[in-house]
Amino acid sequence: MKRYSVTTFVLVVLALVFYPPQFSKSGGALGQRRRTRNPPSQTPKKTAVDYSRFSHATKEHTEACKTCHQSPTANSVKVRGFPDVADFPDHNACVSCHRQQFFKGVQPIICTDCHTKTSTRDDERWEFRNPKRPQQFTIEFPHDKHQDVIASLRLRPATSVRGFIKSAHAADDRTRKYNNCTICHAHPRAPVAPPGGWTDGFVPAADTFKSAPTGHDMCFNCHWQGQEPTRQNCAGCHKLLTAPYVRVESPKRYSMKFRHEGGGANHIAECTTCHINITKASSLSGLKPDVPITSCATTSCHNNPAKHEEIFGELAQLDKDKQFVCSYCHTSNVGKLDAPPSHYLAVERQPLKRTDLK
């Protein structure tokens, strides 16, 4: 048995020495390599397009707005009361690119972008702009430029004012409205309740919030055709967003109990007396019309020992009870938070947190 093993070993060595081409480096005989099969190539599937959701971000939809939209639309005076863009583009704006989708089936899904029903007998359309759809644009409105223009009009003769802006908006020398914020923010608007209801059940009065422009009626007084951006240059104000958003109609305010008209005679003043940051803003993006606490905590207002000491008084209550909820200006969702350092500094005190109190 031992001799047989030695003989086998010698034969293997001789074979490797005299016949090396017959074996591969891996030890296997040549000609016996495994065949590797390449997997069949797969073409990546294209993402299905949802034609019921029109997107301005699509490359083909990024041309100038007037390519599809008309200004004014035929129904604008009836719907808005003035020449405006008040309707969706006509069918030819869609068919020029989407003829296949436009005539696909009895009820083409692409029709639901504009129409409430997909029927040849019903031409009813959604309100333009459809409030149920996310907004795809933001508005860049430069308060700083408009404030400068309005202020400069006060120095011109009345005739030039009427030539530039409607006489109803002309500055009245008998009033102290130097920046004329009330041209656009004139009337109070009833606030819309947030989804979860009003905090503490406190419903703000109708005159709590000023109105804000929701259309082109204010803009077209100047920007119809003479002053850029005109009605044909939508992109001058409307900037496409990277991600659409749903607008929240309910107001967000830290001092929910403040009222412009109902807070006494001291609150009826030139807007920029308190809103000192607005006239510097070059865009509505990220704009917060916050009023610095220093506007409230002057010796003639809410830091007056003889009349009003609301800020000092509530901070004193907080010193006694760290669970105290400030309620003169705020509802409990804000009043239970730490008082901002600005409140302490306004009454010449070192800022404290509730955790610092005993």
Side-chain angles (χ1 to χ4, degrees):
M1 184 68 181
K2 186 175 181 181
R3 182 181 298 176
Y4 177 79
S5 300
V6 173
T7 303
T8 303
F9 175 77
V10 172
L11 291 175
V12 171
V13 172
L14 291 174
L16 290 173
V17 172
F18 293 100
Y19 302 98
Q22 300 297 322
F23 295 86
S24 66
K25 293 181 180 179
S26 61
L30 293 176
Q32 296 182 359
R33 295 177 180 174
R34 295 181 180 178
R35 294 182 179 179
T36 57
R37 294 184 179 180
N38 295 325
S41 59
Q42 295 181 353
T43 304
K45 295 182 179 180
K46 294 183 179 180
T47 305
V49 178
D50 184 1
Y51 288 102
S52 67
R53 298 288 179 180
F54 179 88
S55 174
H56 285 91
T58 303
K59 182 179 179 180
E60 291 77 10
H61 298 164
T62 55
E63 297 183 23
C65 303
K66 62 182 180 181
T67 304
C68 298
H69 292 275
Q70 293 182 356
S71 180
T73 52
N75 69 332
S76 61
V77 175
K78 180 180 179 180
V79 175
R80 304 276 171 82
F82 64 96
D84 193 16
V85 182
D87 200 358
F88 294 92
D90 292 331
H91 286 157
N92 57 357
C94 308
V95 177
S96 59
C97 297
H98 297 288
R99 178 174 294 274
Q100 180 180 358
Q101 291 78 26
F102 204 82
F103 296 101
K104 185 177 182 179
V106 179
Q107 295 180 320
I109 191 67
I110 196 172
C111 298
T112 59
D113 272 322
C114 307
H115 296 273
T116 58
K117 296 180 181 179
T118 52
S119 171
T120 56
R121 298 182 180 181
D122 193 340
D123 193 38
E124 188 69 23
R125 303 189 185 192
W126 297 107
E127 177 186 351
F128 184 84
R129 191 196 62 86
N130 189 346
K132 296 182 179 180
R133 295 287 176 88
Q135 296 194 16
Q136 301 180 33
F137 291 87
T138 186
I139 299 175
E140 287 194 357
F141 178 85
H143 275 92
D144 53 352
K145 292 181 180 179
H146 286 79
Q147 186 271 335
D148 292 342
V149 171
I150 294 171
S152 67
L153 292 177
R154 295 183 56 82
L155 305 177
R156 301 181 185 181
T159 53
S160 64
V161 172
R162 285 194 293 270
F164 183 75
I165 197 169
K166 280 187 175 181
S167 58
H169 292 167
D172 184 355
D173 290 334
R174 294 173 297 178
T175 61
R176 298 184 60 190
K177 298 178 180 178
Y178 303 115
N179 296 301
N180 281 304
C181 303
T182 53
I183 289 178
C184 297
H185 307 282
H187 307 290
R189 60 184 176 93
V192 179
W198 296 107
T199 303
D200 304 335
F202 178 81
V203 181
D207 60 359
T208 300
F209 300 94
K210 293 292 185 179
S211 62
T214 57
H216 293 121
D217 49 342
M218 294 291 185
C219 311
F220 283 166
N221 284 334
C222 301
H223 296 284
W224 178 251
Q225 61 182 5
Q227 179 70 35
E228 285 288 348
T230 64
R231 73 184 192 280
Q232 299 293 351
N233 182 15
C234 307
C237 299
H238 300 272
K239 307 298 182 182
L240 185 63
L241 294 168
T242 55
Y245 73 100
V246 177
R247 181 179 177 181
V248 178
E249 296 294 340
S250 56
K252 182 179 180 180
R253 182 193 270 183
Y254 286 105
S255 302
M256 186 61 74
K257 296 182 180 180
F258 174 87
R259 293 173 64 185
H260 286 96
E261 309 296 342
N266 290 331
H267 289 171
I268 304 176
E270 164 60 31
C271 303
T272 53
T273 302
C274 299
H275 295 279
I276 61 177
N277 296 322
I278 289 294
T279 56
K280 302 176 184 178
S282 59
S283 172
L284 293 181
S285 179
L287 179 64
K288 295 181 179 180
D290 296 340
V291 174
I293 191 64
T294 50
S295 297
C296 310
T298 61
T299 54
S300 61
C301 296
H302 296 283
N303 191 25
N304 186 342
K307 297 181 180 179
H308 299 284
E309 281 191 307
E310 287 80 17
I311 299 174
F312 181 86
E314 292 209 328
L315 291 178
Q317 290 291 329
L318 188 58
D319 290 338
K320 299 176 182 179
D321 179 10
K322 64 180 180 180
Q323 302 299 327
F324 175 77
V325 178
C326 300
S327 59
Y328 185 81
C329 304
H330 310 290
T331 47
S332 62
N333 60 322
V334 176
K336 65 183 179 182
L337 304 176
D338 288 328
S342 59
H343 287 51
Y344 282 98
L345 296 176
V347 294
E348 299 180 352
R349 288 187 52 182
Q350 288 296 321
L352 295 172
K353 294 184 178 294
R354 291 177 183 266
T355 54
D356 299 329
L357 303 172
K358 296 181 180 180

